[in-house]
Short mmCIF file of all heavy atoms in Angstrom, two decimals:
data_model
loop_
_atom_site.label_atom_id
_atom_site.label_comp_id
_atom_site.label_asym_id
_atom_site.label_seq_id
_atom_site.Cartn_x
_atom_site.Cartn_y
_atom_site.Cartn_z
N TYR A 1 -1.89 -22.91 -30.80
CA TYR A 1 -3.04 -22.57 -29.85
C TYR A 1 -2.66 -23.07 -28.50
O TYR A 1 -2.81 -22.36 -27.50
CB TYR A 1 -4.36 -23.17 -30.32
CG TYR A 1 -5.38 -23.03 -29.28
CD1 TYR A 1 -6.08 -21.78 -29.10
CD2 TYR A 1 -5.74 -24.08 -28.42
CE1 TYR A 1 -7.07 -21.66 -28.14
CE2 TYR A 1 -6.75 -23.91 -27.48
CZ TYR A 1 -7.41 -22.73 -27.36
OH TYR A 1 -8.35 -22.55 -26.40
N THR A 2 -2.08 -24.29 -28.39
CA THR A 2 -1.73 -24.85 -27.12
C THR A 2 -0.61 -24.03 -26.51
O THR A 2 -0.64 -23.74 -25.30
CB THR A 2 -1.28 -26.27 -27.28
OG1 THR A 2 -2.38 -27.03 -27.89
CG2 THR A 2 -0.95 -26.96 -25.97
N ASP A 3 0.37 -23.63 -27.28
CA ASP A 3 1.46 -22.81 -26.77
C ASP A 3 0.95 -21.49 -26.25
O ASP A 3 1.38 -20.99 -25.19
CB ASP A 3 2.56 -22.56 -27.84
CG ASP A 3 3.33 -23.86 -28.15
OD1 ASP A 3 3.23 -24.79 -27.35
OD2 ASP A 3 4.01 -23.84 -29.11
N ALA A 4 0.06 -20.79 -27.04
CA ALA A 4 -0.47 -19.53 -26.63
C ALA A 4 -1.25 -19.68 -25.31
O ALA A 4 -1.25 -18.82 -24.45
CB ALA A 4 -1.28 -18.97 -27.74
N GLN A 5 -2.05 -20.72 -25.24
CA GLN A 5 -2.85 -20.99 -24.02
C GLN A 5 -1.98 -21.16 -22.83
O GLN A 5 -2.25 -20.68 -21.76
CB GLN A 5 -3.79 -22.17 -24.20
CG GLN A 5 -4.86 -22.33 -23.12
CD GLN A 5 -5.74 -21.15 -22.92
OE1 GLN A 5 -6.18 -20.60 -23.94
NE2 GLN A 5 -6.02 -20.75 -21.69
N GLY A 6 -0.85 -21.89 -22.93
CA GLY A 6 0.11 -22.15 -21.88
C GLY A 6 0.73 -20.87 -21.40
O GLY A 6 0.88 -20.61 -20.20
N ALA A 7 1.06 -19.95 -22.39
CA ALA A 7 1.69 -18.66 -21.99
C ALA A 7 0.66 -17.82 -21.25
O ALA A 7 1.00 -17.13 -20.27
CB ALA A 7 2.14 -17.95 -23.23
N LYS A 8 -0.58 -17.86 -21.70
CA LYS A 8 -1.64 -17.10 -21.04
C LYS A 8 -1.93 -17.64 -19.61
O LYS A 8 -2.05 -16.83 -18.66
CB LYS A 8 -2.94 -17.27 -21.84
CG LYS A 8 -4.10 -16.44 -21.30
CD LYS A 8 -5.38 -16.58 -22.16
CE LYS A 8 -6.49 -15.86 -21.53
NZ LYS A 8 -7.74 -16.11 -22.26
N ASP A 9 -1.88 -18.97 -19.41
CA ASP A 9 -2.01 -19.57 -18.13
C ASP A 9 -0.91 -19.13 -17.16
O ASP A 9 -1.17 -18.87 -15.98
CB ASP A 9 -2.15 -21.06 -18.18
CG ASP A 9 -3.35 -21.59 -18.87
OD1 ASP A 9 -4.30 -20.74 -18.96
OD2 ASP A 9 -3.41 -22.75 -19.25
N MET A 10 0.30 -19.10 -17.67
CA MET A 10 1.45 -18.75 -16.81
C MET A 10 1.33 -17.28 -16.37
O MET A 10 1.61 -16.87 -15.25
CB MET A 10 2.78 -18.92 -17.57
CG MET A 10 3.22 -20.39 -17.57
SD MET A 10 4.85 -20.65 -18.23
CE MET A 10 4.77 -20.01 -19.86
N GLU A 11 0.89 -16.44 -17.31
CA GLU A 11 0.71 -15.02 -16.99
C GLU A 11 -0.43 -14.84 -16.00
O GLU A 11 -0.30 -14.04 -15.06
CB GLU A 11 0.42 -14.18 -18.24
CG GLU A 11 0.23 -12.68 -18.02
CD GLU A 11 1.43 -11.97 -17.32
OE1 GLU A 11 2.56 -12.53 -17.33
OE2 GLU A 11 1.22 -10.87 -16.87
N THR A 12 -1.47 -15.59 -16.06
CA THR A 12 -2.59 -15.54 -15.11
C THR A 12 -2.11 -15.95 -13.73
O THR A 12 -2.38 -15.31 -12.73
CB THR A 12 -3.69 -16.38 -15.57
OG1 THR A 12 -4.22 -15.99 -16.80
CG2 THR A 12 -4.83 -16.46 -14.56
N GLU A 13 -1.22 -16.94 -13.69
CA GLU A 13 -0.65 -17.47 -12.41
C GLU A 13 0.18 -16.38 -11.83
O GLU A 13 0.14 -16.12 -10.62
CB GLU A 13 0.09 -18.72 -12.74
CG GLU A 13 0.50 -19.52 -11.50
CD GLU A 13 -0.63 -20.46 -11.03
OE1 GLU A 13 -1.66 -20.51 -11.71
OE2 GLU A 13 -0.39 -21.02 -9.96
N ARG A 14 1.09 -15.71 -12.64
CA ARG A 14 1.92 -14.63 -12.18
C ARG A 14 1.11 -13.50 -11.61
O ARG A 14 1.37 -12.90 -10.54
CB ARG A 14 2.85 -14.16 -13.27
CG ARG A 14 3.95 -13.21 -12.78
CD ARG A 14 4.54 -12.41 -13.86
NE ARG A 14 3.57 -11.47 -14.48
CZ ARG A 14 3.19 -10.30 -13.87
NH1 ARG A 14 3.56 -9.97 -12.75
NH2 ARG A 14 2.35 -9.51 -14.55
N MET A 15 0.04 -13.13 -12.38
CA MET A 15 -0.74 -11.98 -11.90
C MET A 15 -1.49 -12.35 -10.55
O MET A 15 -1.68 -11.37 -9.74
CB MET A 15 -1.77 -11.62 -13.00
CG MET A 15 -1.09 -10.94 -14.19
SD MET A 15 -2.16 -10.62 -15.63
CE MET A 15 -3.54 -9.86 -14.86
N THR A 16 -1.89 -13.59 -10.42
CA THR A 16 -2.55 -13.96 -9.10
C THR A 16 -1.57 -13.83 -7.94
O THR A 16 -1.96 -13.30 -6.90
CB THR A 16 -3.03 -15.45 -9.26
OG1 THR A 16 -3.96 -15.53 -10.32
CG2 THR A 16 -3.70 -15.91 -7.97
N ILE A 17 -0.36 -14.29 -8.10
CA ILE A 17 0.60 -14.13 -7.06
C ILE A 17 0.86 -12.69 -6.80
O ILE A 17 0.99 -12.24 -5.61
CB ILE A 17 1.96 -14.85 -7.44
CG1 ILE A 17 1.69 -16.33 -7.56
CG2 ILE A 17 3.06 -14.56 -6.42
CD1 ILE A 17 2.84 -17.09 -8.27
N GLU A 18 0.96 -11.82 -7.82
CA GLU A 18 1.14 -10.41 -7.63
C GLU A 18 0.03 -9.79 -6.81
O GLU A 18 0.18 -8.92 -5.96
CB GLU A 18 1.29 -9.74 -8.98
CG GLU A 18 1.65 -8.26 -8.92
CD GLU A 18 1.89 -7.65 -10.25
OE1 GLU A 18 2.92 -7.99 -10.89
OE2 GLU A 18 1.03 -6.84 -10.70
N LYS A 19 -1.19 -10.21 -7.20
CA LYS A 19 -2.37 -9.71 -6.45
C LYS A 19 -2.33 -10.06 -4.99
O LYS A 19 -2.60 -9.20 -4.11
CB LYS A 19 -3.63 -10.25 -7.11
CG LYS A 19 -4.95 -9.83 -6.48
CD LYS A 19 -6.13 -10.47 -7.11
CE LYS A 19 -6.48 -11.67 -6.27
NZ LYS A 19 -7.72 -12.39 -6.69
N TYR A 20 -1.90 -11.23 -4.66
CA TYR A 20 -1.79 -11.68 -3.25
C TYR A 20 -0.72 -10.85 -2.56
O TYR A 20 -0.85 -10.46 -1.43
CB TYR A 20 -1.50 -13.18 -3.16
CG TYR A 20 -2.74 -14.04 -3.18
CD1 TYR A 20 -3.36 -14.39 -4.39
CD2 TYR A 20 -3.32 -14.50 -2.05
CE1 TYR A 20 -4.46 -15.13 -4.43
CE2 TYR A 20 -4.42 -15.35 -2.04
CZ TYR A 20 -4.99 -15.67 -3.27
OH TYR A 20 -6.10 -16.50 -3.28
N ALA A 21 0.42 -10.64 -3.26
CA ALA A 21 1.54 -9.82 -2.68
C ALA A 21 1.04 -8.42 -2.36
O ALA A 21 1.35 -7.87 -1.28
CB ALA A 21 2.67 -9.86 -3.59
N ILE A 22 0.32 -7.83 -3.26
CA ILE A 22 -0.21 -6.43 -3.08
C ILE A 22 -1.23 -6.47 -1.92
O ILE A 22 -1.27 -5.52 -1.13
CB ILE A 22 -0.80 -5.96 -4.37
CG1 ILE A 22 0.27 -5.71 -5.42
CG2 ILE A 22 -1.64 -4.63 -4.13
CD1 ILE A 22 -0.20 -5.43 -6.82
N GLN A 23 -2.05 -7.50 -1.84
CA GLN A 23 -2.98 -7.59 -0.67
C GLN A 23 -2.18 -7.65 0.63
O GLN A 23 -2.64 -7.00 1.58
CB GLN A 23 -3.87 -8.82 -0.89
CG GLN A 23 -4.89 -9.00 0.22
CD GLN A 23 -5.74 -10.24 0.05
OE1 GLN A 23 -5.60 -10.94 -0.96
NE2 GLN A 23 -6.54 -10.57 1.03
N CYS A 24 -1.14 -8.38 0.66
CA CYS A 24 -0.31 -8.49 1.87
C CYS A 24 0.27 -7.10 2.17
O CYS A 24 0.27 -6.69 3.38
CB CYS A 24 0.81 -9.61 1.67
SG CYS A 24 1.94 -9.64 3.02
N TYR A 25 0.76 -6.43 1.20
CA TYR A 25 1.36 -5.12 1.43
C TYR A 25 0.30 -4.17 1.99
O TYR A 25 0.57 -3.30 2.83
CB TYR A 25 1.97 -4.57 0.11
CG TYR A 25 2.64 -3.27 0.28
CD1 TYR A 25 3.92 -3.16 0.77
CD2 TYR A 25 2.02 -2.06 -0.06
CE1 TYR A 25 4.58 -1.96 0.90
CE2 TYR A 25 2.60 -0.86 -0.01
CZ TYR A 25 3.91 -0.78 0.52
OH TYR A 25 4.55 0.44 0.69
N ALA A 26 -0.93 -4.21 1.39
CA ALA A 26 -1.96 -3.34 1.90
C ALA A 26 -2.35 -3.68 3.34
O ALA A 26 -2.66 -2.78 4.13
CB ALA A 26 -3.16 -3.45 0.99
N SER A 27 -2.36 -4.91 3.71
CA SER A 27 -2.74 -5.33 5.05
C SER A 27 -1.60 -5.11 6.07
O SER A 27 -1.89 -4.69 7.23
CB SER A 27 -3.07 -6.81 5.07
OG SER A 27 -4.16 -7.08 4.22
N GLU A 28 -0.37 -5.44 5.69
CA GLU A 28 0.75 -5.53 6.68
C GLU A 28 1.78 -4.38 6.51
O GLU A 28 2.62 -4.25 7.34
CB GLU A 28 1.43 -6.83 6.56
CG GLU A 28 0.45 -8.05 6.88
CD GLU A 28 1.17 -9.43 6.79
OE1 GLU A 28 2.42 -9.41 6.91
OE2 GLU A 28 0.41 -10.35 6.62
N GLY A 29 1.71 -3.67 5.41
CA GLY A 29 2.65 -2.61 5.22
C GLY A 29 3.98 -3.01 4.57
O GLY A 29 4.85 -2.17 4.41
N SER A 30 4.13 -4.31 4.25
CA SER A 30 5.32 -4.73 3.57
C SER A 30 4.98 -5.90 2.73
O SER A 30 4.00 -6.62 2.92
CB SER A 30 6.41 -5.09 4.54
OG SER A 30 5.98 -6.19 5.35
N TYR A 31 5.74 -6.10 1.64
CA TYR A 31 5.50 -7.29 0.78
C TYR A 31 5.97 -8.54 1.49
O TYR A 31 6.89 -8.48 2.39
CB TYR A 31 6.24 -7.10 -0.54
CG TYR A 31 5.53 -6.06 -1.41
CD1 TYR A 31 6.12 -4.82 -1.61
CD2 TYR A 31 4.37 -6.38 -2.07
CE1 TYR A 31 5.52 -3.89 -2.33
CE2 TYR A 31 3.78 -5.42 -2.91
CZ TYR A 31 4.32 -4.16 -3.02
OH TYR A 31 3.65 -3.24 -3.81
N PRO A 32 5.44 -9.68 1.22
CA PRO A 32 5.88 -10.89 1.90
C PRO A 32 7.30 -11.25 1.56
O PRO A 32 7.82 -11.02 0.48
CB PRO A 32 4.91 -11.97 1.35
CG PRO A 32 4.30 -11.41 0.12
CD PRO A 32 4.39 -9.91 0.21
N PRO A 33 7.99 -11.88 2.50
CA PRO A 33 9.44 -12.23 2.34
C PRO A 33 9.63 -13.34 1.26
O PRO A 33 10.72 -13.38 0.68
CB PRO A 33 9.92 -12.63 3.73
CG PRO A 33 8.64 -13.00 4.39
CD PRO A 33 7.51 -12.24 3.87
N ASP A 34 8.68 -14.18 1.16
CA ASP A 34 8.77 -15.23 0.15
C ASP A 34 7.36 -15.70 -0.23
O ASP A 34 6.38 -15.34 0.45
CB ASP A 34 9.59 -16.44 0.68
CG ASP A 34 9.13 -16.99 2.01
OD1 ASP A 34 7.84 -17.15 2.13
OD2 ASP A 34 9.94 -17.31 2.87
N ILE A 35 7.32 -16.50 -1.26
CA ILE A 35 6.01 -16.99 -1.79
C ILE A 35 5.35 -17.89 -0.83
O ILE A 35 4.04 -17.98 -0.74
CB ILE A 35 6.26 -17.58 -3.15
CG1 ILE A 35 4.93 -17.60 -3.94
CG2 ILE A 35 6.82 -18.99 -3.07
CD1 ILE A 35 5.04 -17.94 -5.45
N ASP A 36 6.12 -18.69 0.04
CA ASP A 36 5.44 -19.54 0.97
C ASP A 36 4.67 -18.76 2.05
O ASP A 36 3.71 -19.33 2.57
CB ASP A 36 6.49 -20.45 1.61
CG ASP A 36 7.00 -21.45 0.65
OD1 ASP A 36 6.28 -21.94 -0.24
OD2 ASP A 36 8.21 -21.80 0.73
N TYR A 37 5.07 -17.60 2.31
CA TYR A 37 4.34 -16.70 3.20
C TYR A 37 2.94 -16.49 2.75
O TYR A 37 1.93 -16.49 3.53
CB TYR A 37 5.06 -15.34 3.45
CG TYR A 37 4.44 -14.46 4.45
CD1 TYR A 37 4.82 -14.60 5.83
CD2 TYR A 37 3.56 -13.55 4.14
CE1 TYR A 37 4.27 -13.78 6.79
CE2 TYR A 37 2.89 -12.70 5.17
CZ TYR A 37 3.35 -12.84 6.47
OH TYR A 37 2.77 -12.06 7.47
N LEU A 38 2.77 -16.28 1.45
CA LEU A 38 1.42 -16.10 0.85
C LEU A 38 0.56 -17.35 0.93
O LEU A 38 -0.62 -17.31 1.14
CB LEU A 38 1.58 -15.61 -0.62
CG LEU A 38 2.14 -14.24 -0.78
CD1 LEU A 38 2.36 -13.94 -2.26
CD2 LEU A 38 1.24 -13.18 -0.17
N VAL A 39 1.24 -18.47 0.77
CA VAL A 39 0.54 -19.74 0.79
C VAL A 39 0.07 -19.98 2.27
O VAL A 39 -1.16 -20.38 2.46
CB VAL A 39 1.47 -20.91 0.41
CG1 VAL A 39 0.84 -22.31 0.70
CG2 VAL A 39 1.92 -20.78 -1.07
N LYS A 40 0.90 -19.76 3.24
CA LYS A 40 0.55 -20.02 4.64
C LYS A 40 -0.41 -19.06 5.23
O LYS A 40 -1.38 -19.42 5.93
CB LYS A 40 1.85 -20.04 5.52
CG LYS A 40 2.77 -21.14 5.26
CD LYS A 40 4.03 -21.00 6.10
CE LYS A 40 5.06 -22.07 5.58
NZ LYS A 40 6.34 -21.83 6.22
N ASN A 41 -0.22 -17.74 4.89
CA ASN A 41 -1.04 -16.72 5.56
C ASN A 41 -2.17 -16.18 4.76
O ASN A 41 -3.09 -15.51 5.31
CB ASN A 41 -0.15 -15.60 5.95
CG ASN A 41 0.87 -16.03 7.01
OD1 ASN A 41 0.54 -16.50 8.07
ND2 ASN A 41 2.16 -15.93 6.64
N TYR A 42 -2.16 -16.40 3.45
CA TYR A 42 -3.19 -15.78 2.59
C TYR A 42 -3.95 -16.79 1.75
O TYR A 42 -4.88 -16.46 0.97
CB TYR A 42 -2.65 -14.71 1.70
CG TYR A 42 -2.26 -13.45 2.50
CD1 TYR A 42 -1.02 -13.30 3.14
CD2 TYR A 42 -3.17 -12.41 2.61
CE1 TYR A 42 -0.75 -12.14 3.85
CE2 TYR A 42 -2.90 -11.22 3.33
CZ TYR A 42 -1.71 -11.16 3.96
OH TYR A 42 -1.40 -10.03 4.72
N GLY A 43 -3.61 -18.10 1.91
CA GLY A 43 -4.31 -19.14 1.15
C GLY A 43 -4.05 -19.24 -0.30
O GLY A 43 -4.83 -19.84 -1.05
N LEU A 44 -2.91 -18.69 -0.75
CA LEU A 44 -2.50 -18.82 -2.20
C LEU A 44 -2.27 -20.29 -2.51
O LEU A 44 -1.72 -21.04 -1.74
CB LEU A 44 -1.21 -18.09 -2.40
CG LEU A 44 -0.62 -18.18 -3.83
CD1 LEU A 44 -1.52 -17.61 -4.87
CD2 LEU A 44 0.75 -17.51 -3.85
N ILE A 45 -2.82 -20.71 -3.60
CA ILE A 45 -2.66 -22.11 -4.09
C ILE A 45 -1.68 -22.09 -5.22
O ILE A 45 -1.98 -21.43 -6.20
CB ILE A 45 -4.01 -22.70 -4.45
CG1 ILE A 45 -4.96 -22.78 -3.27
CG2 ILE A 45 -3.86 -24.10 -5.11
CD1 ILE A 45 -6.34 -23.14 -3.58
N LEU A 46 -0.64 -22.84 -5.09
CA LEU A 46 0.38 -22.94 -6.15
C LEU A 46 0.21 -24.29 -6.87
O LEU A 46 -0.09 -25.23 -6.24
CB LEU A 46 1.81 -22.80 -5.59
CG LEU A 46 2.06 -21.44 -4.90
CD1 LEU A 46 3.48 -21.50 -4.32
CD2 LEU A 46 1.95 -20.30 -5.87
N HIS A 47 0.43 -24.32 -8.17
CA HIS A 47 0.42 -25.51 -8.96
C HIS A 47 1.86 -25.94 -9.31
O HIS A 47 2.31 -25.80 -10.41
CB HIS A 47 -0.40 -25.22 -10.22
CG HIS A 47 -1.79 -24.82 -9.95
ND1 HIS A 47 -2.14 -23.43 -9.96
CD2 HIS A 47 -2.88 -25.48 -9.52
CE1 HIS A 47 -3.40 -23.34 -9.63
NE2 HIS A 47 -3.86 -24.55 -9.37
N ARG A 48 2.55 -26.48 -8.34
CA ARG A 48 3.99 -26.76 -8.43
C ARG A 48 4.27 -27.93 -9.39
O ARG A 48 5.34 -28.05 -9.91
CB ARG A 48 4.60 -27.05 -7.06
CG ARG A 48 4.55 -25.81 -6.13
CD ARG A 48 5.35 -26.10 -4.91
NE ARG A 48 5.13 -24.99 -3.93
CZ ARG A 48 5.92 -24.00 -3.68
NH1 ARG A 48 7.01 -23.85 -4.51
NH2 ARG A 48 5.65 -23.08 -2.82
#
């Protein structure tokens, strides 16, 4: 159960980043050059 929950959490995290990248593409016409761009300009919170 713990392993399955961990995999689900990682997929949720990946989907969240993808959503922010798509939002950036819709707003700016291009995908962000790196993940830190999403953190700085779109408020993405990463759990490093």
Side-chain angles (χ1 to χ4, degrees):
Y1 172 78
T2 303
D3 289 346
Q5 187 63 40
K8 182 180 176 186
D9 291 345
M10 284 189 298
E11 179 60 16
T12 300
E13 194 82 5
R14 189 199 65 75
M15 288 173 53
T16 300
I17 297 166
E18 185 176 291
K19 182 181 93 173
Y20 275 81
I22 292 170
Q23 180 182 355
C24 177
Y25 184 79
S27 299
E28 301 179 20
S30 63
Y31 288 104
D34 56 42
I35 200 167
D36 291 326
Y37 186 87
L38 293 173
V39 172
K40 291 175 189 170
N41 298 301
Y42 287 86
L44 175 65
I45 298 172
L46 299 176
H47 303 100
R48 294 188 193 263

